[in-house]
Amino acid sequence: MPQETGASVKLNLEGLLCPIPVVRVSQAMKDLPVNGVLEATATDPGVLTDIPAWVKSTGNELLSMEKKDKVITFTIRKAK
Amino acid sequence: MSVGVTSLSLTDMKEKLKALIDRKQLASLEACVRCGICTESCHYYRSEPRLEHTPFYRAEQLRRIYRRLLDPIAGRFQRRGDSGTASAELLRRLADIAFSTCTLCQRCTLDCPFSVDTADIMRAARSLATATGSAPQMLVELADAAIVKGENIESFKDFYLDQVKELEKQVQDRLGSSRARIPVEKEGARMLYVPLSGAHTIVPQAVLFNLAEESWTLSLFETSNYAYFLADTSRASRIAQRIIAEAERLKVEEVVITECGHGYPVMRWEVARWLGRRLPFRVRSVIEVLDEYLQKGVFRVSPKGNGTPVTYHDSCNLGRKGGLFEEPRRIIRAVAEDYREMNPNRIYSFCCGAGSGLVAIPEWTDIRLRAGKLKAEQIRRTGARIVVTSCDNCRHQIGELNEHYGLDIEVTSLSELTVKALV
Ligand code: SF4
Ligand code: SF4
């Protein structure tokens, strides 16, 4: 379950394989207000390209994406 | 008059249906005599016997819309004022049935005395739903993201190449050789290998390709094509075109598709039909390549690497639709000690319950877990502790069936099973 922190939400997608991380992100974004921020961690390297592509195609904004050891952390702003 | 959820006039809907439905689908619609012989063929019905789970009930939903809008005889007897809202409701219902309660597995066609292709009828229903904006949003988003990736590959490439470098390190560690490579964009390679997103369809295969000293290059794209599940030929062609253009640019002899159910028939048969041209390369599944390696003794394996009982689930796309029945069985027998058939199998195999995009729709998790009861029972009867299947969709579903029905199994791919047997 996403953990809500004001106008932001945190998701733990570690261990999930694509496309499930994208599916969970899309679901969680629906509940966010415009300008709300989603922060997520994942381990499937597929998210390194799948998430930026999904963000671009849905018109949202990728604020950051970084990989440390095996964990990828990214933040997305809901633009509309 | 505008109609409810779709905001489409009846005339628009009629025109769309006319454009989308083909003669083969019409023939299937007309040929069904509602005899009910196919009832027990459907895994939904076998798992939960209800009228709505029979193949002919599903087809009837499109037939009613077709009769109402396009059948010249039945249309004459339509009641006045019986069209607008009623058709919108039928359309909404049709979309729900076509996407959530039919996995397009074609199991029912085998048992029908007239070979009625209910899956194809449901594909027409999915097309109509997609064209009228009633398709599941998640499938549309995944399809559009793949198109965006193809159109903007230069901006995603660095992320991808970094990822590949890390995976290459894993391959080198596994083989104990710093010479092992995962080549990308290698012009003139014999084979373009198309994975899915993520390491599990890159690392084991790269280990095997390196051992076989294969001339290969890894695709920048993934084989999954969510527009195929939407029955949206135009979008599906654009997604597949990314790989075709890459293969043509690199001048490869063949495109090899990873262990993915729908990715194989899309590239092997469908895309050439959609584009109306022959592809200038051969298309094979990686299963066929692995089978060939093992038959030729390209690397050494021992069945002792997999000592626990193994069973194989025939994915509908690779098996019934793709004809790959013996290749996976030869591979398993070469790399595992105790192979047990699931029954029924091969062409008569039942769907895992999550085909054709269901796995990507969280709202339908409960539906697909219930529909997977039959598969769970089949697996349990084998007594196997490892279930191998060559489709990511099936692997995901069987992994969840494992938890839901307490099967106590491990789910894996043929490539991973083979890597475990390397000596
Ligand atoms: S699809 Fe075939 S088997 Fe099923 S009810 Fe129709 S005619 Fe009978
Ligand atoms: S195609 Fe498969 S899921 Fe659809 S009605 Fe036939 S048996 Fe059932």
Side-chain angles (χ1 to χ4, degrees):
Chain A
M1 280 297 284
Q3 183 195 333
E4 290 202 33
T5 52
S8 69
V9 74
K10 281 193 173 188
L11 275 186
N12 181 345
L13 307 168
E14 291 171 36
L16 298 174
L17 299 178
C18 285
I20 304 304
V22 176
V23 171
R24 295 271 171 89
V25 165
S26 170
Q27 255 187 317
M29 291 288 280
K30 281 195 190 102
D31 300 332
L32 268 182
V34 173
N35 285 325
V37 172
L38 176 140
E39 182 187 328
T41 53
T43 44
D44 182 6
V47 306
L48 288 169
T49 48
D50 286 4
I51 289 292
W54 176 84
V55 167
K56 193 171 168 67
S57 73
T58 51
N60 290 296
E61 187 187 354
L62 185 64
L63 298 176
S64 66
M65 178 171 262
E66 60 182 39
K67 186 159 190 266
K68 231 186 208 162
D69 300 324
K70 283 193 162 32
V71 179
I72 303 154
T73 306
F74 56 90
T75 52
I76 303 170
R77 185 180 70 83
K78 180 161 170 164
K80 55 182 185 181
Chain B
M1 175 187 166
S2 87
V3 287
V5 62
T6 64
S7 311
L8 262 193
S9 72
L10 269 186
T11 316
D12 280 350
M13 203 197 298
K14 185 172 164 176
E15 289 312 312
K16 282 205 187 307
L17 184 58
K18 214 196 279 183
L20 290 168
I21 199 159
D22 64 30
R23 299 203 68 78
K24 189 168 154 272
Q25 290 162 333
L26 272 182
S28 276
L29 269 185
E30 294 295 349
C32 175
V33 294
R34 280 67 123 203
C35 64
I37 290 173
C38 59
T39 304
E40 296 277 336
S41 318
C42 182
H43 58 282
Y44 282 95
Y45 186 88
R46 292 279 285 264
S47 295
E48 267 185 285
R50 283 170 29 195
L51 175 67
E52 304 85 70
H53 288 170
T54 59
F56 51 89
Y57 177 88
R58 295 177 177 106
E60 186 64 21
Q61 308 313 308
L62 182 62
R63 191 178 296 110
R64 285 168 71 186
I65 292 183
Y66 167 73
R67 291 253 154 90
R68 187 162 293 194
L69 296 177
L70 289 173
D71 188 310
I73 300 170
R76 296 185 92 115
F77 296 101
Q78 205 170 280
R79 278 177 289 135
R80 273 171 190 275
D82 171 34
S83 43
T85 341
S87 289
E89 183 48 36
L90 277 180
L91 189 55
R92 198 173 13 224
R93 194 164 161 58
L94 179 74
D96 195 43
I97 288 172
F99 281 100
S100 76
T101 76
C102 176
T103 53
L104 314 182
C105 75
Q106 268 182 339
R107 177 66 174 75
C108 50
T109 303
L110 287 181
D111 293 331
C112 171
F114 305 104
S115 298
V116 167
D117 193 342
T118 302
D120 205 24
I121 295 174
M122 288 297 99
R123 210 168 274 119
R126 286 186 179 207
S127 292
L128 182 64
T130 302
T132 54
S134 323
Q137 185 56 25
M138 195 63 242
L139 293 183
V140 175
E141 285 181 21
L142 287 166
D144 287 346
I147 291 170
V148 162
K149 186 171 165 184
E151 287 168 352
N152 299 273
I153 189 61
E154 288 307 320
S155 41
F156 300 125
K157 215 192 240 173
D158 287 347
F159 277 135
Y160 188 69
L161 296 179
D162 283 353
Q163 169 199 343
V164 170
K165 273 286 152 228
E166 276 189 35
L167 299 182
E168 189 174 80
K169 181 85 184 52
Q170 289 180 31
V171 175
Q172 292 173 349
D173 290 347
R174 174 65 184 77
L175 290 172
S177 162
S178 59
R179 291 177 55 227
R181 290 283 175 270
I182 300 185
V184 181
E185 298 205 281
K186 188 174 151 196
E187 195 174 324
R190 194 190 68 75
M191 169 218 290
L192 175 70
Y193 170 67
V194 192
L196 289 160
S197 280
H200 65 299
T201 61
I202 299 177
V203 173
Q205 293 77 8
V207 165
L208 299 171
F209 295 155
N210 272 277
L211 272 179
E213 298 180 4
E214 183 61 81
S215 164
W216 70 294
T217 182
L218 180 72
S219 175
L220 295 170
F221 303 104
E222 68 292 335
T223 188
S224 45
N225 191 325
Y226 287 91
Y228 183 56
F229 301 144
L230 290 167
D232 181 337
T233 306
S234 154
R235 266 190 273 207
S237 301
R238 287 169 73 191
I239 294 171
Q241 274 282 15
R242 307 172 309 167
I243 298 163
I244 296 171
E246 186 183 26
E248 289 180 329
R249 183 165 48 82
L250 299 177
K251 302 184 184 70
V252 297
E253 280 171 34
E254 72 171 344
V255 168
V256 170
I257 304 295
T258 194
E259 295 186 56
C260 168
H262 73 285
Y264 175 67
V266 163
M267 196 53 75
R268 180 80 199 266
W269 294 289
E270 302 284 14
V271 75
R273 197 165 55 83
W274 298 335
L275 299 176
R277 71 170 171 112
R278 281 171 69 105
L279 303 181
F281 44 78
R282 177 163 78 148
V283 177
R284 282 198 295 172
S285 161
V286 72
I287 301 178
E288 293 170 279
V289 177
L290 288 190
D291 180 41
E292 190 180 293
Y293 288 163
L294 289 171
Q295 301 244 10
K296 287 185 178 164
V298 168
F299 42 71
R300 285 184 55 227
V301 288
S302 164
K304 289 195 169 52
N306 295 291
T308 38
V310 177
T311 189
Y312 180 71
H313 161 67
D314 287 284
S315 117
C316 305
N317 276 310
L318 291 174
R320 189 156 41 248
K321 300 180 198 174
L324 298 177
F325 296 120
E326 300 315 317
E327 294 83 349
R329 288 170 169 81
R330 274 197 297 266
I331 295 171
I332 297 175
R333 289 201 171 98
V335 303
E337 280 184 326
D338 179 357
Y339 175 58
R340 302 175 181 192
E341 278 293 358
M342 202 180 291
N343 282 303
N345 54 56
R346 293 180 170 84
I347 202 165
Y348 290 103
S349 168
F350 281 105
C351 174
C352 66
S356 291
L358 250 81
V359 98
I361 318 286
E363 295 86 339
W364 294 338
T365 304
D366 188 46
I367 294 180
R368 67 175 163 81
L369 289 177
R370 281 189 277 131
K373 188 172 151 216
L374 179 64
K375 185 55 58 181
E377 286 166 355
Q378 283 185 294
I379 292 171
R380 203 191 298 279
R381 279 200 299 272
T382 64
R385 296 274 70 90
I386 297 175
V387 178
V388 181
T389 185
S390 283
C391 165
D392 226 36
N393 216 8
C394 303
R395 275 196 290 280
H396 185 98
Q397 164 81 343
I398 295 173
E400 289 197 11
L401 293 179
N402 178 30
E403 284 173 29
H404 190 73
Y405 293 99
L407 298 176
D408 190 21
I409 50 163
E410 181 196 331
V411 188
T412 191
S413 65
L414 286 165
S415 307
E416 283 165 331
L417 198 76
T418 304
V419 168
K420 277 197 186 155
L422 289 172
V423 286

